[in-house]
Amino acid sequence: MSRHRHHPDDDDIDAFRQALREAGVRPIETNRADPGRRRHSDASAAARRAAASAASDEHATGRTSDGRVEPVSPSEPLDFALPDLPWRTRSQLKRGRIAWEVGLDLHGYTLEEARRELEAFLRDAATEGRRCVLVVHGKAWGTTSDYPVIKSHVNAWLREWPAVLAFCSATESDGGTGAVYVLLRRRGRDG
């Protein structure tokens, strides 16, 4: 492999841009990511935090563990499904064919805050009868860890949550390996 980079000429660049247009690729209108500020100003997030704080001791400890988890790499796709989930449903989820209805962004949260937010979010989604939700966990490494802490814990927490039928890394347009689609059990419908 050569150390010298090939610099494409204008014809190559034009051909590449034309191929992108023909493939239906659209330029990004805005960059919604802002890792420099915390997203705690969201009214629904504030309501979830208040509900989590006011919950009974049973709910205060939560349903998810806060112990050690299996580290996952930033680019590793997450994938989990209950054994009896139909193959077709799992396949549709993996391809992003099941529209997610509401999302949660965990950027800027501490590990404990992320756990409380996720639990409150999943509780709310189940109460509202949501079928599929998006959880953005990011891929950033922890300040004291050599792996993405929030992503690794979300991978473990979702496996423990009773209403989760399946989850998998999102398609690139919804965050790729920095987010997961979560398929939830609907009360009285999915067993």
Side-chain angles (χ1 to χ4, degrees):
M1 183 170 179
S2 171
R3 290 185 180 189
H4 301 287
R5 285 182 88 184
H6 167 72
H7 295 284
D9 60 14
D10 289 339
D11 290 338
D12 290 340
I13 293 170
D14 289 340
F16 178 72
R17 288 184 176 149
Q18 178 64 31
L20 289 175
R21 276 192 298 278
E22 289 172 3
V25 176
R26 299 181 327 253
I28 296 175
E29 300 286 329
T30 59
N31 182 357
R32 296 182 303 178
D34 187 0
R37 83 181 152 89
R38 294 169 65 110
R39 301 189 60 115
H40 290 220
S41 61
D42 181 1
S44 65
R48 284 194 304 276
R49 274 194 306 282
S53 298
S56 68
D57 287 338
E58 175 188 2
H59 291 293
T61 59
R63 292 182 177 223
T64 55
S65 67
D66 55 0
R68 295 179 53 90
V69 298
E70 182 81 22
V72 295
S73 73
S75 60
E76 183 178 341
L78 301 182
D79 186 21
F80 166 82
L82 294 178
D84 58 345
L85 186 74
W87 176 87
R88 183 174 181 191
T89 302
R90 186 173 186 179
S91 176
Q92 288 174 327
L93 185 68
K94 283 181 158 185
R95 291 183 288 151
R97 299 280 169 88
I98 300 175
W100 56 275
E101 301 164 75
V102 64
L104 172 67
D105 188 347
L106 295 174
H107 283 104
Y109 289 106
T110 66
L111 185 60
E112 185 56 33
E113 289 170 337
R115 183 168 71 95
R116 283 194 310 259
E117 286 293 319
L118 180 63
E119 288 180 356
F121 175 73
L122 292 173
R123 252 187 245 109
D124 291 349
T127 300
E128 296 165 3
R130 306 287 187 189
R131 176 69 170 163
C132 184
V133 298
L134 179 75
V135 176
V136 180
H137 48 68
K139 300 188 271 188
W141 288 18
T143 54
T144 60
S145 303
D146 59 352
Y147 63 94
V149 175
I150 300 288
K151 177 178 180 175
S152 297
H153 277 80
V154 165
N155 182 42
W157 294 335
L158 290 175
R159 292 169 191 266
E160 297 172 352
W161 197 260
V164 172
L165 296 173
F167 65 87
C168 63
S169 290
T171 60
E172 286 302 316
S173 62
D174 285 329
T177 57
V180 287
Y181 299 126
V182 183
L183 188 66
L184 298 172
R185 181 182 318 274
R186 288 189 188 162
R187 288 189 183 150
R189 295 188 193 171
D190 298 317

